[in-house]
Every structure is written in structure tokens, then in C-alpha cells.
Amino acid sequence: MASSSALEFTVRRKLAVLVPPAAPTPRELKRLSDIDDQDGLRFQVPIIHFFRQHDGWDDDPAPVLRGAIAAVLVHYYPFAGRLRELEGRKLAVDCTGEGVLFVEADADVRLDQFDAALGPPFPCLDELLFDVPGSCGILDCPLLLFQVTRLACGGFVMAVRVQHTMADAAGMVQLLGAIAELARGAPAPTVQPVWGRELLQAPLLNDDVLLPPRFAHREYDDVMDMNDAIVPFEFMVHRSFFIGWREISAIRSHLPPALSHEATNFEVITGCLWRCRTTALAPHADEEMRMICTVNIRGKKDTIIPVGYYGNAFASPVAISTAGDLLANPVSYAVELVMKAKRQVDVEYILSVAALMAQRGRPHFAVARAYLVSDVTNVGIRDLDFGWGKPVYAGPANGGVVALPGIGSFFIAVRNATGEEGITVPVCMPGPTMDKFVNEMGKLMRPALADTFSKM
């Protein structure tokens, strides 16, 4: 387990500048999809990369990356625009070519002081990703913010803030991959971007009548927070849990053999987290607890998402159980509910979500007594080479999937201090319950029996 340690350092920043596309781009208004502009995605996602000093490569990273960003914006020119809100809360990007924010900085701190390989939470994140005044809104604000911070050891940090309505994790990595290619001297991105947001628009029965949603979509229930279940940020404690093959094998040992064989690592870990979190929070037995999973339809059978599409292409199905049932049953009960919810997602499901958004004013998913997890272990961000080799860490800059603290966690691929590959799960919980959560996780990460089948 890793927690944010006290670390103080001084950052000297230059004034933020706007980086426009390196060549003229089309001026047009491009509507986002009905998946993109839902209320639950109207926030900004922080991403961070830590790089060691690269032997034989003395170039200052700031001008190299700034030039690559300008060149990439010619291809990804909607990112140089600004969001506008149209009728029915519909979002569209006005491709103005104004550009994205870029901050250059120096810090009197070494890379090894961050313990970066273990993942978030990172100390002093606000120094490495400066919130430029007036930039944090959704409408009429820059859609990207970059900060390149040179470190005292010769390494550097590149932090990025992205409007989630413009791209999901795969789309963000596609954009960053294009910047990496051009920073290394490529003339154009290997994967050409595809806008195509009409693919995930609400389906029409005829020219002006929307098809109704075909699924219940209880992830968007109107749920009241009757017991102050949403806790203010200042009362939260942040910790990260490393889960390697030993821990996954131990959790699987608590499952029946057939379920252990069938369930994926994501489903096993998510069921474990849901049950342990519920135990720690100690809700009333009749309260409904919600476990929301993000499921991307890229690569699924009969997908409609083409290569190069960088918009949001995921749904967020929910598993629901009363707290009493969740705690009275073994962890296999939670795992089976997660599996059932996650495996219903296909193209028909996500188009049903789009229909719901168009008809109900683009609601936020239910957050009361909910927990959301998003698996970004396989998006490929750790493999991106901007010219300084692979990063020590690359991924989410904080533990939360959403803007609301304590509601969600990422699954992030990392290598720990001993060189073991695994998953880190940053968790944010109210202070008094974190110790209970750690204790419950410890129980399930101890084998119930001898080694059992482990599906890696």
C-alpha cells in the first residue's frame, strides 16, 4: 500500500501560453455524440507521465513537446476549439483553432522523491498540473492543458488535463500516441483520427421520433442521498492497493472453482472491492448498494466503432444489491452480480444509453451509495515513447474516476519496487472507514485454500 507522503518543493512556472495548430484548420461546429455529453462526463481528467533522464538525449523536452502538440492539432483540430451548449443541453465543439494551454516549469525535486512507480496519489499534484485561472470550466474553455516540468535530476514530468466529453481513455491515449510519434520526428500520426460522433447518436424511429431505450439502465436511477453518503473531499483518506498475481490468486481461492475459472481479473477484483467497501461503510441492511463498471465497446463483436475513433465509446452498467444481501453472502455473490452487469454491454446497449440521454436531458449516473471502477490497464499509455524512453509511470494523476471524491477508482497497470507487474487501485474513502476497508481487503487477499486456478 502506498499513501501520499509529505513532499515539498518549489516550482518556477512560465506564463501559460495557447498553442494553436501548426497549420490552418477547418472552422466548423461539430456535435458531440449522445454518449459524450452526458452529465457524468462533464469534467476534466488529469493524466501524468514521469520520465527519467534519457542517456544521450539532452534536448529540452518543453519545446519538443510543444512543437509536437501544435503539429498534432492539425490532425486533431477539434481539440483546439471550444465547447458550446446547444438546445436540449447538447454539446458541440466550435472549431475555432484558438489552441490548447501549455505551461513550462522547473522544480527543485528529483524523480525518486515521488515514488512514482507505485501510482497515485501523487504529492503536490497541483504544482505539476497548474490550474490556469479560467481554464477549468466545460464551456468556452481550452479542451487540453499540458504542463512540462523539468526535474533537478534531469528527468521531467508531463501532466495533461483533458475534457472527458471529447475522449475516453482509449481516445486520450490515441491522441497522446500521435504527439509521441511527432515528437520523435514522424511526419504524421500512424492512426488517422476519426470524428464519427454520429455513430453514437440516439437512434431515430423516423425523421423526428426517437426510439425509446431498450434497457432499464438503472445506473441512471434518480436516487436520493438520504444518509449523507457523499462525503466532502476534506474528510477523505487516499491509499493505493497493489494487486499482483499472488493477491488475485488469493481472492480467487474464496470463489467456487467454476466461477474462479470463468471470471476475469477485473470482475474478481471489482467484486472484492465492492464487498469490502460495503462492509467498511456499514450501511443499513436495506440500503441499495451500486457497483458501476465502465465497459468499452471497442473491439467487441459487431462493434460499430472504427479504428481512429477517439470519442467516448463506453457504457456504465450497474450491479445492484441491498447491503444486507451483499454482506450475508460470500464474495462470489458480488462477483457474479458484477459479471452479469458487465457482460450485458454491446452495441445495442450503448445505443440504448444514447436514447436515454437524448430523452432525459443527459442525466448524471446515480452516485448515492455507488462505487464506479474503470479499468485502464490495457489502454497502452505506458508504452508511449515521446523520445525519452518509456515512462516510469504513465496514467491517471489521481485515484478518482469521476469529479466526485470517493465515488470511483481506476485500475492502473504498474510495476512495483521489486519489479513485479500488477494493478494498483487508488481508493478514496472517509477517514474512519479506511482502516476497516484495509482490514477487509487483507482478509480476501489471504488464501482460503492452497493455490487455486488463476486466470491472468
Side-chain angles (χ1 to χ4, degrees), residues 242-256 260 265 268-269 272 276 331-332 335 420 440-456:
F242 177 82
I243 301 176
W245 70 267
R246 293 177 186 82
E247 289 79 11
I248 292 174
S249 179
I251 298 170
R252 287 184 183 277
S253 73
H254 295 269
L255 304 178
S260 177
N265 283 345
V268 170
I269 297 170
C272 172
C276 292
V331 69
S332 57
V335 172
E420 181 185 356
E440 291 299 316
M441 287 290 290
K443 291 178 184 177
L444 288 179
M445 289 195 290
R446 288 193 295 269
L449 302 167
D451 284 344
T452 58
F453 177 86
S454 178
K455 181 179 181 180
M456 297 295 291

Side-chain angles (χ1 to χ4, degrees), residues 32 106 125 127 130 154 265 314 331 347 350-351 379 384 436:
L32 300 188
D106 292 277
L125 178 60
E127 295 289 346
F130 179 60
N265 283 345
F314 68 89
V331 69
V347 171
I350 199 169
L351 289 175
V379 295
L384 299 183
K436 296 179 185 176

